[in-house]
Amino acid sequence: MEELARLIRRAQLLPGARERLALRLQRLAIDWRMQTEAISLQRAREELQSGLWPPDPRLRAVLSPSPLLRGQRYLEALSQALAILEQRPKGGTG
């Protein structure tokens, strides 16, 4: 948990840290989709990489961060993305 907190702090300023955090969140998102949507690993990866998923631009902003998204704006985007994921019903799609 401490390592994750450190990575989030770095991600505010460093593009490389945002990319590392994005990769970590992508793996979690793919695992989550596989469990809740009965989707294959390959399909989940393809949809994420092609931009078909997630449909919500706030989630996409964190899973594939723009270099322009940094500092407080990045933290706000991360907070919004996590709130969206928390609100999703188990077994839901989208």
Side-chain angles (χ1 to χ4, degrees):
M1 196 61 132
E2 192 174 310
E3 177 189 340
L4 181 57
R6 196 172 321 121
L7 184 56
I8 291 170
R9 283 192 300 274
R10 285 183 176 152
Q12 294 178 66
L13 304 171
L14 304 170
R18 281 190 293 278
E19 289 299 321
R20 285 190 300 278
L21 184 55
L23 289 174
R24 194 167 175 171
L25 294 172
Q26 286 175 9
R27 285 191 300 268
L28 290 170
I30 287 170
D31 288 347
W32 176 78
R33 283 194 76 201
M34 289 171 49
Q35 291 177 15
T36 61
E37 298 178 28
I39 188 173
S40 72
L41 174 62
Q42 181 177 348
R43 183 171 169 205
R45 284 182 177 162
E46 288 172 358
E47 288 183 5
L48 181 65
Q49 296 303 318
S50 69
L52 292 174
W53 190 91
D56 192 307
R58 296 170 295 179
L59 289 176
R60 278 196 310 271
V62 171
L63 295 176
S64 301
S66 160
L68 301 175
L69 188 62
R70 59 182 179 263
Q72 188 61 33
R73 289 181 61 212
Y74 178 77
L75 283 182
E76 290 169 4
L78 180 59
S79 178
Q80 287 177 356
L82 294 175
I84 290 164
L85 290 172
E86 286 177 344
Q87 294 172 6
R88 295 173 64 107
K90 291 185 178 172
T93 61

Coordinates of all heavy atoms in Angstrom, one line a residue:
M1 N 0.8 -1.2 0.0 CA 0.0 0.0 0.0 C 0.9 1.3 0.0 O 0.5 2.2 -0.7 CB -0.9 0.0 1.2 CG -2.1 0.9 1.1 SD -3.1 0.6 -0.3 CE -4.7 0.6 0.4
E2 N 2.0 1.2 0.8 CA 2.9 2.3 0.8 C 3.5 2.6 -0.6 O 3.6 3.8 -1.0 CB 3.9 2.1 1.9 CG 4.8 3.3 2.2 CD 5.7 2.9 3.3 OE1 5.3 2.4 4.4 OE2 6.9 3.2 3.2
E3 N 3.8 1.5 -1.3 CA 4.4 1.7 -2.6 C 3.4 2.3 -3.5 O 3.7 3.2 -4.3 CB 4.8 0.3 -3.1 CG 5.3 0.4 -4.6 CD 5.5 -1.0 -5.1 OE1 5.6 -2.0 -4.4 OE2 5.5 -1.1 -6.4
L4 N 2.1 2.0 -3.4 CA 1.1 2.6 -4.3 C 0.9 4.0 -4.0 O 0.8 4.9 -4.9 CB -0.2 1.8 -4.1 CG -1.4 2.3 -4.9 CD1 -1.1 2.3 -6.4 CD2 -2.6 1.5 -4.6
A5 N 0.9 4.4 -2.7 CA 0.8 5.8 -2.3 C 2.0 6.6 -2.9 O 1.8 7.7 -3.3 CB 0.7 5.9 -0.8
R6 N 3.2 6.0 -2.8 CA 4.4 6.7 -3.3 C 4.2 6.9 -4.8 O 4.5 8.0 -5.4 CB 5.6 5.9 -3.0 CG 6.9 6.6 -3.1 CD 8.1 5.8 -2.6 NE 7.8 5.0 -1.4 CZ 8.0 3.7 -1.3 NH1 8.4 3.0 -2.3 NH2 7.7 3.1 -0.2
L7 N 3.7 5.9 -5.5 CA 3.6 6.0 -7.0 C 2.5 7.0 -7.3 O 2.7 7.8 -8.3 CB 3.2 4.6 -7.5 CG 3.0 4.5 -9.0 CD1 4.3 4.9 -9.8 CD2 2.6 3.1 -9.4
I8 N 1.5 7.1 -6.6 CA 0.4 8.2 -6.8 C 1.0 9.6 -6.6 O 0.8 10.5 -7.5 CB -0.8 7.9 -5.9 CG1 -1.5 6.7 -6.4 CG2 -1.7 9.2 -6.0 CD1 -2.6 6.2 -5.4
R9 N 1.8 9.7 -5.6 CA 2.5 11.1 -5.4 C 3.4 11.4 -6.6 O 3.4 12.5 -7.1 CB 3.2 11.1 -4.1 CG 2.4 11.2 -2.9 CD 3.2 11.5 -1.6 NE 4.1 10.5 -1.3 CZ 3.9 9.3 -0.6 NH1 2.7 9.1 -0.1 NH2 4.8 8.5 -0.3
R10 N 4.2 10.4 -7.0 CA 5.1 10.7 -8.2 C 4.3 11.0 -9.4 O 4.7 11.7 -10.3 CB 6.0 9.5 -8.4 CG 7.1 9.3 -7.4 CD 7.8 8.1 -7.8 NE 9.0 7.9 -7.0 CZ 9.5 6.7 -6.9 NH1 8.9 5.6 -7.4 NH2 10.6 6.5 -6.1
A11 N 3.2 10.3 -9.6 CA 2.4 10.4 -10.8 C 1.8 11.8 -11.0 O 1.5 12.2 -12.1 CB 1.2 9.4 -10.8
Q12 N 1.8 12.6 -9.9 CA 1.3 14.0 -10.1 C 2.3 14.8 -10.9 O 1.9 15.7 -11.6 CB 1.2 14.6 -8.7 CG 0.2 14.1 -7.8 CD 0.2 14.8 -6.5 OE1 -0.1 16.0 -6.4 NE2 0.5 14.0 -5.4
L13 N 3.6 14.4 -10.9 CA 4.6 15.2 -11.5 C 5.3 14.5 -12.7 O 5.8 15.2 -13.6 CB 5.7 15.6 -10.5 CG 5.1 16.4 -9.3 CD1 6.2 16.5 -8.2 CD2 4.6 17.7 -9.7
L14 N 5.5 13.2 -12.6 CA 6.3 12.5 -13.6 C 5.5 11.7 -14.5 O 4.8 10.8 -14.1 CB 7.3 11.6 -12.8 CG 8.2 12.3 -11.7 CD1 8.9 11.3 -10.9 CD2 9.1 13.3 -12.4
P15 N 5.7 11.9 -15.8 CA 5.0 11.1 -16.8 C 5.3 9.6 -16.7 O 4.4 8.8 -16.9 CB 5.5 11.7 -18.2 CG 6.0 13.0 -17.9 CD 6.5 13.0 -16.4
G16 N 6.5 9.3 -16.4 CA 6.9 7.9 -16.3 C 6.1 7.2 -15.2 O 5.7 6.0 -15.3
A17 N 5.9 7.9 -14.1 CA 5.1 7.4 -12.9 C 3.7 7.2 -13.3 O 3.0 6.3 -12.9 CB 5.3 8.3 -11.7
R18 N 3.1 8.2 -14.1 CA 1.7 8.1 -14.5 C 1.6 6.9 -15.4 O 0.6 6.1 -15.3 CB 1.3 9.3 -15.3 CG 1.0 10.5 -14.4 CD 0.3 11.7 -15.2 NE 1.2 12.3 -16.1 CZ 2.1 13.3 -15.8 NH1 2.2 13.7 -14.5 NH2 2.8 13.8 -16.7
E19 N 2.6 6.6 -16.3 CA 2.5 5.4 -17.1 C 2.5 4.1 -16.3 O 1.8 3.2 -16.5 CB 3.6 5.4 -18.1 CG 3.5 6.5 -19.2 CD 2.2 6.3 -20.0 OE1 1.9 5.1 -20.4 OE2 1.5 7.3 -20.4
R20 N 3.4 4.1 -15.3 CA 3.5 2.9 -14.4 C 2.2 2.7 -13.7 O 1.7 1.6 -13.6 CB 4.7 3.0 -13.4 CG 6.0 2.7 -14.1 CD 7.2 2.6 -13.1 NE 7.3 3.8 -12.3 CZ 8.0 4.9 -12.6 NH1 8.5 5.0 -13.8 NH2 8.1 5.9 -11.8
L21 N 1.6 3.8 -13.2 CA 0.4 3.7 -12.4 C -0.7 3.2 -13.4 O -1.6 2.4 -13.1 CB 0.0 5.0 -11.7 CG -1.2 5.0 -10.9 CD1 -1.2 3.9 -9.8 CD2 -1.4 6.3 -10.2
A22 N -0.7 3.8 -14.6 CA -1.7 3.4 -15.6 C -1.7 1.9 -15.9 O -2.7 1.3 -16.0 CB -1.6 4.3 -16.9
L23 N -0.5 1.4 -16.1 CA -0.3 0.0 -16.4 C -0.8 -0.9 -15.2 O -1.5 -1.9 -15.4 CB 1.2 -0.4 -16.6 CG 1.7 0.2 -18.0 CD1 3.2 -0.1 -18.0 CD2 1.0 -0.5 -19.1
R24 N -0.6 -0.4 -14.0 CA -1.1 -1.2 -12.8 C -2.6 -1.1 -12.8 O -3.2 -2.1 -12.5 CB -0.5 -0.5 -11.6 CG -0.6 -1.3 -10.3 CD 0.3 -0.7 -9.3 NE 0.1 -1.4 -8.0 CZ 0.8 -1.2 -7.0 NH1 1.8 -0.4 -7.0 NH2 0.6 -1.9 -5.9
L25 N -3.2 0.0 -13.0 CA -4.6 0.2 -13.0 C -5.2 -0.6 -14.2 O -6.3 -1.2 -14.1 CB -5.0 1.6 -13.1 CG -4.6 2.4 -11.8 CD1 -4.9 3.9 -12.1 CD2 -5.4 1.9 -10.6
Q26 N -4.6 -0.6 -15.3 CA -5.1 -1.4 -16.5 C -5.2 -2.9 -16.1 O -6.2 -3.5 -16.4 CB -4.2 -1.2 -17.7 CG -4.3 0.1 -18.4 CD -3.3 0.3 -19.5 OE1 -2.6 -0.6 -19.9 NE2 -3.2 1.5 -20.0
R27 N -4.1 -3.4 -15.5 CA -4.2 -4.8 -15.1 C -5.3 -5.1 -14.1 O -6.0 -6.1 -14.3 CB -2.8 -5.2 -14.4 CG -1.7 -5.4 -15.4 CD -0.5 -6.0 -14.8 NE 0.1 -5.3 -13.7 CZ 1.0 -4.4 -13.8 NH1 1.5 -4.1 -15.0 NH2 1.5 -3.8 -12.7
L28 N -5.5 -4.2 -13.2 CA -6.7 -4.3 -12.3 C -8.0 -4.3 -13.0 O -8.9 -5.0 -12.7 CB -6.6 -3.3 -11.2 CG -5.5 -3.4 -10.2 CD1 -5.4 -2.2 -9.3 CD2 -5.7 -4.6 -9.3
A29 N -8.1 -3.3 -13.9 CA -9.4 -3.1 -14.7 C -9.6 -4.4 -15.5 O -10.8 -4.8 -15.6 CB -9.3 -1.9 -15.5
I30 N -8.6 -4.9 -16.1 CA -8.8 -6.1 -17.0 C -9.2 -7.3 -16.1 O -10.2 -8.0 -16.4 CB -7.5 -6.4 -17.7 CG1 -7.4 -5.4 -18.9 CG2 -7.5 -7.9 -18.3 CD1 -6.0 -5.5 -19.6
D31 N -8.6 -7.5 -15.0 CA -8.9 -8.6 -14.0 C -10.4 -8.4 -13.6 O -11.2 -9.3 -13.5 CB -8.0 -8.6 -12.8 CG -6.6 -9.1 -13.1 OD1 -6.4 -9.7 -14.2 OD2 -5.7 -8.9 -12.3
W32 N -10.7 -7.1 -13.2 CA -12.1 -6.8 -12.8 C -13.1 -7.2 -13.8 O -14.1 -7.8 -13.6 CB -12.2 -5.4 -12.4 CG -13.5 -4.9 -12.0 CD1 -14.2 -5.2 -10.8 CD2 -14.5 -4.2 -12.8 NE1 -15.4 -4.6 -10.8 CE2 -15.6 -4.0 -12.0 CE3 -14.4 -3.7 -14.1 CZ2 -16.7 -3.3 -12.5 CZ3 -15.5 -3.0 -14.6 CH2 -16.6 -2.8 -13.8
R33 N -12.8 -6.8 -15.1 CA -13.8 -7.1 -16.2 C -13.9 -8.6 -16.4 O -15.0 -9.1 -16.6 CB -13.3 -6.4 -17.5 CG -13.6 -5.0 -17.5 CD -13.4 -4.4 -18.9 NE -14.6 -4.8 -19.7 CZ -14.6 -4.8 -21.1 NH1 -13.5 -4.5 -21.7 NH2 -15.7 -5.2 -21.7
M34 N -12.8 -9.3 -16.3 CA -12.9 -10.7 -16.5 C -13.7 -11.4 -15.5 O -14.5 -12.4 -15.8 CB -11.4 -11.3 -16.5 CG -10.6 -11.0 -17.7 SD -8.9 -11.4 -17.6 CE -9.0 -13.1 -17.1
Q35 N -13.7 -10.9 -14.3 CA -14.5 -11.5 -13.2 C -16.0 -11.1 -13.3 O -16.9 -11.8 -13.0 CB -14.0 -11.0 -11.8 CG -12.6 -11.7 -11.5 CD -12.1 -11.2 -10.2 OE1 -12.8 -10.6 -9.4 NE2 -10.8 -11.4 -10.0
T36 N -16.3 -9.8 -13.7 CA -17.6 -9.3 -13.6 C -18.4 -9.4 -14.9 O -19.6 -9.4 -14.9 CB -17.7 -7.8 -13.2 OG1 -17.0 -7.1 -14.1 CG2 -17.1 -7.7 -11.8
E37 N -17.7 -9.6 -16.0 CA -18.3 -9.6 -17.3 C -18.1 -10.9 -18.1 O -18.6 -11.0 -19.2 CB -17.9 -8.4 -18.2 CG -18.2 -7.1 -17.6 CD -17.7 -5.9 -18.4 OE1 -17.5 -6.1 -19.7 OE2 -17.4 -4.9 -17.9
A38 N -17.4 -11.8 -17.5 CA -17.1 -13.1 -18.2 C -16.5 -12.8 -19.6 O -16.9 -13.4 -20.6 CB -18.3 -14.0 -18.3
I39 N -15.5 -11.9 -19.6 CA -14.8 -11.5 -20.9 C -13.4 -12.2 -20.9 O -12.8 -12.4 -19.8 CB -14.7 -10.0 -21.0 CG1 -14.2 -9.6 -22.4 CG2 -13.9 -9.4 -19.9 CD1 -14.3 -8.1 -22.6
S40 N -12.9 -12.5 -22.0 CA -11.6 -13.2 -22.1 C -10.5 -12.1 -21.9 O -10.7 -10.9 -22.1 CB -11.4 -13.8 -23.4 OG -11.2 -12.9 -24.4
L41 N -9.4 -12.6 -21.4 CA -8.2 -11.7 -21.2 C -7.9 -11.0 -22.5 O -7.6 -9.8 -22.5 CB -7.0 -12.5 -20.7 CG -5.7 -11.8 -20.5 CD1 -5.8 -10.7 -19.5 CD2 -4.6 -12.8 -20.1
Q42 N -7.8 -11.7 -23.6 CA -7.4 -11.1 -24.9 C -8.4 -10.0 -25.3 O -8.0 -9.0 -25.7 CB -7.3 -12.2 -26.0 CG -6.9 -11.6 -27.3 CD -6.8 -12.7 -28.3 OE1 -6.8 -13.9 -28.0 NE2 -6.7 -12.3 -29.6
R43 N -9.7 -10.3 -25.2 CA -10.7 -9.3 -25.6 C -10.7 -8.1 -24.7 O -10.8 -7.0 -25.2 CB -12.1 -9.9 -25.5 CG -13.2 -9.0 -26.0 CD -14.5 -9.6 -26.2 NE -15.5 -8.6 -26.4 CZ -16.8 -8.8 -26.1 NH1 -17.2 -9.9 -25.7 NH2 -17.6 -7.8 -26.3
A44 N -10.5 -8.3 -23.4 CA -10.4 -7.2 -22.5 C -9.2 -6.3 -22.8 O -9.3 -5.1 -22.8 CB -10.3 -7.7 -21.0
R45 N -8.1 -6.9 -23.1 CA -6.9 -6.1 -23.5 C -7.1 -5.4 -24.8 O -6.7 -4.2 -24.9 CB -5.7 -7.1 -23.6 CG -5.1 -7.5 -22.3 CD -3.9 -8.4 -22.5 NE -3.3 -8.8 -21.3 CZ -2.4 -9.8 -21.2 NH1 -2.1 -10.5 -22.2 NH2 -1.9 -10.1 -20.0
E46 N -7.7 -6.1 -25.8 CA -7.9 -5.4 -27.1 C -8.8 -4.3 -26.9 O -8.6 -3.2 -27.5 CB -8.5 -6.5 -28.0 CG -7.5 -7.5 -28.5 CD -8.1 -8.6 -29.3 OE1 -9.3 -8.6 -29.5 OE2 -7.3 -9.5 -29.8
E47 N -9.9 -4.4 -26.2 CA -10.9 -3.3 -26.0 C -10.2 -2.1 -25.3 O -10.5 -1.0 -25.6 CB -12.1 -3.8 -25.3 CG -13.0 -4.7 -26.2 CD -14.3 -5.1 -25.6 OE1 -14.6 -4.7 -24.5 OE2 -15.0 -5.9 -26.2
L48 N -9.4 -2.4 -24.3 CA -8.7 -1.3 -23.6 C -7.7 -0.6 -24.5 O -7.7 0.6 -24.6 CB -8.0 -1.9 -22.4 CG -7.3 -0.9 -21.5 CD1 -8.3 0.1 -20.9 CD2 -6.5 -1.6 -20.4
Q49 N -6.9 -1.4 -25.2 CA -5.9 -0.8 -26.1 C -6.5 0.0 -27.3 O -5.9 1.0 -27.7 CB -4.9 -1.8 -26.6 CG -4.1 -2.5 -25.5 CD -3.3 -1.5 -24.7 OE1 -2.7 -0.6 -25.2 NE2 -3.3 -1.7 -23.4
S50 N -7.6 -0.5 -27.8 CA -8.2 0.2 -28.9 C -9.1 1.4 -28.5 O -9.5 2.1 -29.4 CB -9.1 -0.8 -29.7 OG -10.2 -1.2 -28.9
G51 N -9.4 1.5 -27.2 CA -10.2 2.6 -26.8 C -11.7 2.3 -26.8 O -12.5 3.2 -26.5
L52 N -12.0 1.1 -27.0 CA -13.5 0.7 -27.0 C -14.0 0.6 -25.5 O -15.1 0.8 -25.3 CB -13.7 -0.6 -27.6 CG -13.5 -0.7 -29.2 CD1 -13.6 -2.1 -29.7 CD2 -14.5 0.2 -29.8
W53 N -13.0 0.4 -24.6 CA -13.4 0.3 -23.2 C -12.3 1.1 -22.4 O -11.1 1.0 -22.8 CB -13.4 -1.1 -22.7 CG -14.0 -1.2 -21.3 CD1 -15.3 -1.4 -21.0 CD2 -13.3 -1.1 -20.1 NE1 -15.5 -1.4 -19.6 CE2 -14.2 -1.2 -19.1 CE3 -12.0 -0.9 -19.7 CZ2 -13.9 -1.2 -17.7 CZ3 -11.6 -0.9 -18.4 CH2 -12.6 -1.0 -17.4
P54 N -12.6 1.8 -21.4 CA -14.0 2.0 -20.9 C -14.7 3.1 -21.7 O -14.0 4.0 -22.2 CB -13.7 2.5 -19.5 CG -12.3 3.1 -19.5 CD -11.6 2.4 -20.6
P55 N -16.0 3.1 -21.7 CA -16.7 4.1 -22.4 C -16.7 5.5 -21.7 O -16.8 6.5 -22.4 CB -18.1 3.6 -22.5 CG -18.2 2.6 -21.4 CD -16.9 2.1 -21.2
D56 N -16.4 5.5 -20.5 CA -16.4 6.8 -19.7 C -15.1 7.5 -19.9 O -14.0 6.9 -19.6 CB -16.7 6.5 -18.2 CG -16.9 7.8 -17.4 OD1 -16.1 8.7 -17.5 OD2 -17.9 7.8 -16.7
P57 N -15.0 8.7 -20.4 CA -13.8 9.4 -20.7 C -13.0 9.6 -19.4 O -11.7 9.7 -19.5 CB -14.2 10.7 -21.4 CG -15.6 10.9 -21.1 CD -16.2 9.5 -20.8
R58 N -13.6 9.7 -18.3 CA -12.9 9.9 -17.0 C -12.1 8.7 -16.6 O -11.0 8.9 -16.1 CB -13.9 10.3 -15.9 CG -14.6 11.7 -16.2 CD -15.7 12.0 -15.3 NE -16.7 10.9 -15.5 CZ -17.9 10.9 -14.8 NH1 -18.1 11.7 -13.8 NH2 -18.8 9.9 -15.0
L59 N -12.6 7.5 -16.9 CA -11.8 6.3 -16.7 C -10.7 6.2 -17.7 O -9.5 5.9 -17.3 CB -12.7 5.1 -16.8 CG -13.7 4.9 -15.7 CD1 -14.5 3.7 -15.9 CD2 -13.0 4.7 -14.3
R60 N -11.0 6.5 -19.0 CA -9.9 6.5 -20.0 C -8.8 7.4 -19.7 O -7.6 7.1 -19.9 CB -10.5 6.8 -21.4 CG -11.2 5.6 -22.0 CD -11.4 5.9 -23.5 NE -12.0 7.1 -23.8 CZ -13.3 7.3 -23.9 NH1 -14.1 6.3 -23.7 NH2 -13.8 8.5 -24.2
A61 N -9.1 8.6 -19.1 CA -8.1 9.6 -18.8 C -7.0 9.1 -17.8 O -5.9 9.5 -17.8 CB -8.7 10.8 -18.2
V62 N -7.4 8.1 -17.0 CA -6.5 7.6 -16.0 C -5.8 6.3 -16.5 O -4.7 6.1 -16.2 CB -7.3 7.3 -14.6 CG1 -6.4 6.6 -13.7 CG2 -7.7 8.7 -14.0
L63 N -6.6 5.5 -17.2 CA -6.0 4.3 -17.8 C -5.1 4.5 -18.9 O -4.2 3.7 -19.2 CB -7.1 3.3 -18.2 CG -8.0 2.8 -17.0 CD1 -9.1 1.9 -17.6 CD2 -7.2 2.0 -16.0
S64 N -5.2 5.6 -19.6 CA -4.3 6.0 -20.7 C -4.1 7.5 -20.6 O -4.6 8.3 -21.3 CB -5.0 5.7 -22.1 OG -5.3 4.4 -22.2
P65 N -3.3 7.9 -19.6 CA -3.1 9.3 -19.3 C -2.4 10.2 -20.3 O -1.5 9.7 -20.9 CB -2.3 9.3 -18.0 CG -1.6 8.0 -18.0 CD -2.5 7.1 -18.7
S66 N -2.9 11.3 -20.5 CA -2.3 12.3 -21.4 C -1.2 13.0 -20.7 O -1.2 13.2 -19.5 CB -3.4 13.4 -21.8 OG -2.8 14.5 -22.3
P67 N -0.1 13.4 -21.5 CA 1.0 14.1 -20.8 C 0.5 15.5 -20.2 O 1.1 16.0 -19.3 CB 1.9 14.4 -22.0 CG 1.6 13.4 -23.0 CD 0.1 13.1 -22.8
L68 N -0.6 16.0 -20.7 CA -1.2 17.2 -20.2 C -1.8 17.1 -18.9 O -2.1 18.1 -18.2 CB -2.1 17.9 -21.2 CG -1.6 18.1 -22.6 CD1 -2.6 18.6 -23.6 CD2 -0.4 19.2 -22.5
L69 N -2.2 15.9 -18.5 CA -2.9 15.6 -17.3 C -1.8 15.4 -16.2 O -1.2 14.3 -16.1 CB -3.8 14.4 -17.4 CG -4.7 14.0 -16.3 CD1 -5.7 15.2 -16.1 CD2 -5.5 12.7 -16.6
R70 N -1.6 16.4 -15.4 CA -0.6 16.2 -14.3 C -1.0 17.1 -13.1 O -2.0 17.8 -13.1 CB 0.8 16.6 -14.8 CG 0.9 18.0 -15.3 CD 2.3 18.3 -15.9 NE 2.4 19.6 -16.4 CZ 2.2 19.9 -17.7 NH1 2.0 19.0 -18.6 NH2 2.3 21.2 -18.1
G71 N -0.2 16.9 -12.0 CA -0.5 17.7 -10.8 C -1.8 17.4 -10.2 O -2.3 16.3 -10.2
Q72 N -2.5 18.5 -9.8 CA -3.8 18.4 -9.2 C -4.8 17.9 -10.1 O -5.7 17.1 -9.7 CB -4.2 19.8 -8.6 CG -5.5 19.8 -7.8 CD -5.4 18.9 -6.6 OE1 -4.3 18.8 -5.9 NE2 -6.5 18.3 -6.2
R73 N -4.7 18.2 -11.4 CA -5.7 17.7 -12.4 C -5.6 16.2 -12.5 O -6.6 15.5 -12.6 CB -5.4 18.3 -13.8 CG -5.8 19.8 -13.8 CD -5.6 20.4 -15.2 NE -6.4 19.7 -16.2 CZ -6.0 19.5 -17.5 NH1 -4.9 20.0 -17.9 NH2 -6.8 18.9 -18.3
Y74 N -4.4 15.6 -12.4 CA -4.2 14.2 -12.4 C -4.9 13.6 -11.2 O -5.6 12.6 -11.3 CB -2.8 13.8 -12.5 CG -2.6 12.3 -12.5 CD1 -2.9 11.5 -13.7 CD2 -2.3 11.6 -11.4 CE1 -2.8 10.2 -13.7 CE2 -2.2 10.2 -11.4 CZ -2.4 9.5 -12.5 OH -2.4 8.1 -12.5
L75 N -4.6 14.1 -10.0 CA -5.2 13.6 -8.8 C -6.7 13.6 -8.9 O -7.4 12.7 -8.4 CB -4.7 14.4 -7.6 CG -3.3 14.0 -7.1 CD1 -3.0 14.9 -5.9 CD2 -3.2 12.6 -6.8
E76 N -7.3 14.7 -9.4 CA -8.7 14.8 -9.5 C -9.3 13.8 -10.5 O -10.3 13.1 -10.2 CB -9.1 16.2 -10.0 CG -8.9 17.3 -8.9 CD -9.0 18.7 -9.5 OE1 -9.4 18.9 -10.7 OE2 -8.8 19.6 -8.7
A77 N -8.6 13.6 -11.6 CA -9.0 12.5 -12.6 C -8.9 11.2 -11.9 O -9.8 10.3 -12.1 CB -8.2 12.6 -13.8
L78 N -7.9 10.9 -11.2 CA -7.7 9.6 -10.5 C -8.8 9.4 -9.5 O -9.5 8.3 -9.4 CB -6.4 9.5 -9.9 CG -6.0 8.2 -9.1 CD1 -6.1 7.0 -10.0 CD2 -4.7 8.4 -8.5
S79 N -9.1 10.4 -8.7 CA -10.2 10.3 -7.7 C -11.6 10.1 -8.4 O -12.3 9.2 -7.9 CB -10.2 11.6 -6.9 OG -11.3 11.6 -6.0
Q80 N -11.8 10.8 -9.5 CA -13.1 10.6 -10.2 C -13.2 9.1 -10.8 O -14.2 8.5 -10.7 CB -13.2 11.5 -11.3 CG -13.5 12.9 -10.9 CD -13.6 13.9 -12.1 OE1 -13.3 13.5 -13.2 NE2 -13.9 15.2 -11.8
A81 N -12.1 8.7 -11.3 CA -12.1 7.3 -11.9 C -12.3 6.3 -10.8 O -13.1 5.3 -11.0 CB -10.8 7.1 -12.6
L82 N -11.7 6.4 -9.7 CA -11.9 5.4 -8.6 C -13.4 5.5 -8.1 O -14.0 4.5 -7.8 CB -10.9 5.7 -7.5 CG -9.5 5.4 -7.9 CD1 -8.5 5.8 -6.7 CD2 -9.3 4.0 -8.3
A83 N -13.9 6.7 -8.0 CA -15.3 6.8 -7.5 C -16.3 6.2 -8.5 O -17.2 5.5 -8.1 CB -15.7 8.3 -7.4
I84 N -16.0 6.3 -9.8 CA -16.8 5.7 -10.8 C -16.8 4.2 -10.7 O -17.8 3.5 -10.7 CB -16.4 6.1 -12.2 CG1 -16.7 7.6 -12.5 CG2 -17.0 5.2 -13.3 CD1 -16.0 8.2 -13.7
L85 N -15.6 3.6 -10.5 CA -15.4 2.2 -10.3 C -16.1 1.7 -9.1 O -16.7 0.6 -9.1 CB -13.9 1.8 -10.3 CG -13.2 2.0 -11.7 CD1 -11.7 1.7 -11.5 CD2 -13.8 1.0 -12.7
E86 N -16.1 2.4 -8.0 CA -16.7 2.0 -6.8 C -18.2 2.0 -6.9 O -18.9 1.2 -6.3 CB -16.4 3.0 -5.6 CG -15.0 2.8 -5.1 CD -14.6 3.9 -4.0 OE1 -15.4 4.9 -3.9 OE2 -13.6 3.6 -3.4
Q87 N -18.8 2.8 -7.8 CA -20.2 2.9 -7.9 C -20.8 1.8 -8.9 O -22.0 1.6 -8.9 CB -20.7 4.3 -8.5 CG -20.4 5.4 -7.5 CD -20.6 6.7 -8.1 OE1 -21.1 6.9 -9.2 NE2 -20.3 7.8 -7.3
R88 N -19.9 1.2 -9.6 CA -20.4 0.2 -10.6 C -21.0 -1.0 -9.9 O -20.4 -1.5 -9.0 CB -19.2 -0.2 -11.5 CG -18.7 0.9 -12.4 CD -17.5 0.5 -13.1 NE -17.8 -0.6 -14.0 CZ -17.8 -0.4 -15.3 NH1 -17.5 0.7 -15.8 NH2 -18.1 -1.4 -16.1
P89 N -22.1 -1.4 -10.4 CA -22.7 -2.6 -9.8 C -21.9 -3.9 -10.1 O -21.3 -4.0 -11.2 CB -24.1 -2.7 -10.4 CG -24.0 -1.9 -11.7 CD -22.9 -0.9 -11.5
K90 N -21.8 -4.8 -9.2 CA -21.1 -6.0 -9.5 C -21.9 -6.8 -10.6 O -23.1 -6.9 -10.6 CB -21.1 -6.9 -8.2 CG -20.2 -6.3 -7.2 CD -20.0 -7.1 -6.0 CE -19.0 -6.4 -5.1 NZ -18.8 -6.9 -3.9
G91 N -21.1 -7.3 -11.5 CA -21.7 -8.0 -12.7 C -22.1 -7.1 -13.8 O -22.6 -7.5 -14.8
G92 N -22.0 -5.7 -13.6 CA -22.4 -4.8 -14.6 C -21.4 -4.7 -15.7 O -20.3 -5.1 -15.6
T93 N -21.9 -4.0 -16.8 CA -21.0 -3.8 -17.9 C -20.8 -2.4 -18.1 O -21.4 -1.5 -17.5 CB -21.6 -4.4 -19.2 OG1 -22.8 -3.8 -19.5 CG2 -21.8 -5.9 -19.1
G94 N -19.8 -2.0 -19.0 CA -19.7 -0.6 -19.4 C -18.4 -0.1 -19.0 O -17.7 0.0 -18.2

